[in-house]
Amino acid sequence: MPAIRHGAKGAVISGWGTALPEKVVTNEELAATMDTSDEWIRSRTGIEERRVGGSTVGLSVESGRQALEMAGLDPSRIDALVLATTTPDKQWGTSAAVQNELGLFCGAFDVNAACTGFMYGLVTAHGLIAMGADRVLLIGTDTLSRITDWNDRATAPLFADGSGAVVLESVDGPGQMLGWDLDADGSALSILQSEVGGTIKMEGKEVFRRAVRIMVDSAEKSLAHAGVQIDDIKLVVPHQANIRIIRAACDRLGISIDRASVVIQRTGNTSSASIPLALADALDRGRIEHGDLLLLVGFGGGMTAASCVLRWGGGLE
Ligand code: COA
């Protein structure tokens, strides 16, 4: 990935929001309908419960509105809406519906890079700001429960629904993005996929094996582009697919899992929403301060991987 050409304008995140459906499905409830157990799901994945329900538009509007409120922005001031989702409500127009319901007057489009969608959207949003946009609303939302086979114990415990949003605003100078990386390896498409109208099919073990490798590879590229070391990172915000994947990736990167934001126990894998949900959780808990370096890193179907290093609040040293 090329080094960042710092132009006149960089970007910082000025607001964030989240949305989770009300309905909680616990591991015990799943165990009542299929041959699994709370103990198996907890120990193999770290998931204790997940949220299920709602639509991609509805959840996006909820998280997007919160992010706008926190940023103190009237919707009319947003220059572009980027909606990362792999579960649009309709073949097209999901982002346009969100644009309309939020009262935005700007371009709107979907980004689909499976569970890496938010990261692709984040890099895209920075690109829009480098090209002159002043305020971009980026939302990551997925309603994976709609494409999950609820009779398949190999996938049903993993996937769930949710949304996370951030407002990015232009600032003078370099902004928050210090380094980024986007990867894809289409030769691995078959190990995790969903046909149009179908449900998620997955070779779990193989996805696990590759996931750790591609997360670490991508993270190392972003660290190198940013010119920083893993020890400089205050907090890792990883895709929430399996606590064992997060742990293995942290081990290989040489950072304690205590320095990772983890929400998977209560959210499951919410795909495009997982990184913004984990980021918002860390922010809401006061785990991130101005000037901290963050490593955001994800992977997903495709297979895709992506990462970036952010200096929270932007600016130089
Ligand atoms: N409950 C109980 N047993 C289950 C089960 C469940 N929900 N799902 C699978 N099993 C069984 C298997 O049938 C297997 O039994 P066997 O040994 O008799 O054949 C055993 O548990 C072990 O299965 P295995 O697939 O080896 O488990 P695992 O440790 O690899 O964990 C995953 C399975 C799916 C949790 C794990 O591989 C994983 O998380 N992979 C990555 C998935 C992912 O991240 N997907 C999203 C990408 S964005």
Side-chain angles (χ1 to χ4, degrees):
M1 219 35 79
I4 294 178
R5 279 193 302 271
H6 288 298
K9 294 282 186 185
V12 294
I13 292 172
S14 60
W16 58 92
T18 62
L20 291 169
E22 274 178 25
K23 185 176 161 59
V24 176
V25 177
T26 62
N27 291 345
E28 284 87 355
E29 285 172 282
L30 282 183
T33 63
M34 63 177 63
D35 183 13
T36 188
S37 65
D38 174 48
E39 199 283 321
W40 192 96
I41 300 169
R42 246 177 229 258
S43 61
R44 299 293 177 116
T45 71
I47 299 168
E48 296 167 18
E49 60 183 38
R50 72 282 295 138
R51 301 293 188 99
V52 170
S55 67
T56 294
V57 170
L59 292 168
S60 300
V61 168
E62 195 180 331
S63 69
R65 190 168 283 140
Q66 276 178 30
L68 288 170
E69 278 171 16
M70 185 183 288
L73 287 178
D74 186 86
S76 62
R77 301 193 65 211
I78 294 294
D79 297 322
L81 167 65
V82 182
L83 174 61
T85 186
T86 195
T87 46
D89 290 345
K90 297 182 190 301
Q91 194 77 40
W92 61 77
T94 305
S95 50
V98 175
Q99 182 250 24
N100 181 47
E101 286 199 34
L102 282 175
L104 311 181
F105 301 97
C106 61
F109 59 98
D110 300 0
V111 168
N112 182 349
C115 297
T116 323
F118 182 82
M119 296 304 300
Y120 273 73
L122 190 62
V123 172
T124 304
H126 280 82
L128 289 168
I129 286 178
M131 293 285 285
D134 276 322
R135 287 161 293 273
V136 178
L137 176 60
L138 167 63
I139 307 177
T141 305
D142 267 305
T143 45
L144 291 178
S145 66
R146 297 185 304 165
I147 59 164
T148 299
D149 176 352
W150 289 96
N151 296 312
D152 176 16
R153 71 176 185 169
T155 53
L158 304 178
F159 300 111
D161 307 333
S163 177
V166 292
V167 171
L168 292 107
E169 294 196 57
S170 70
V171 289
D172 291 332
Q176 64 189 2
M177 179 73 86
L178 303 189
W180 57 273
D181 172 66
L182 303 179
D183 286 326
D185 175 7
S187 70
L189 176 60
S190 64
I191 64 173
L192 176 57
Q193 59 175 325
S194 173
E195 296 296 335
V196 172
T199 54
I200 300 170
K201 308 284 181 231
M202 183 180 76
E203 292 174 32
K205 258 195 190 330
E206 186 58 15
V207 172
F208 191 120
R209 200 178 64 78
R210 285 176 183 255
V212 176
R213 197 175 68 220
I214 63 180
M215 276 175 93
V216 171
D217 282 354
S218 181
E220 285 177 343
K221 287 184 208 165
S222 281
L223 291 167
H225 290 314
V228 302
Q229 311 291 322
I230 192 69
D231 290 345
D232 300 323
I233 298 296
K234 168 84 176 293
L235 194 74
V236 181
V237 185
H239 173 45
Q240 313 280 311
N242 185 320
I243 189 68
R244 290 158 54 216
I245 292 177
I246 296 173
R247 190 173 291 122
C250 284
D251 280 354
R252 288 205 198 168
L253 283 167
I255 189 167
S256 163
I257 193 168
D258 296 343
R259 300 225 314 263
S261 180
V262 176
V263 296
I264 190 173
Q265 64 281 6
R266 62 186 172 85
T267 63
N269 180 346
T270 56
S271 193
S272 305
S274 98
I275 287 179
L277 284 172
L279 177 65
D281 185 78
L283 287 161
D284 292 342
R285 288 174 193 273
R287 295 184 74 188
I288 300 173
E289 289 169 9
H290 190 93
D292 284 346
L293 292 186
L294 311 181
L295 171 64
L296 278 55
V297 56
F299 71 94
M303 286 187 79
T304 51
S307 60
C308 69
V309 174
L310 303 182
R311 182 188 304 286
W312 191 253
L316 300 168
E317 279 288 62

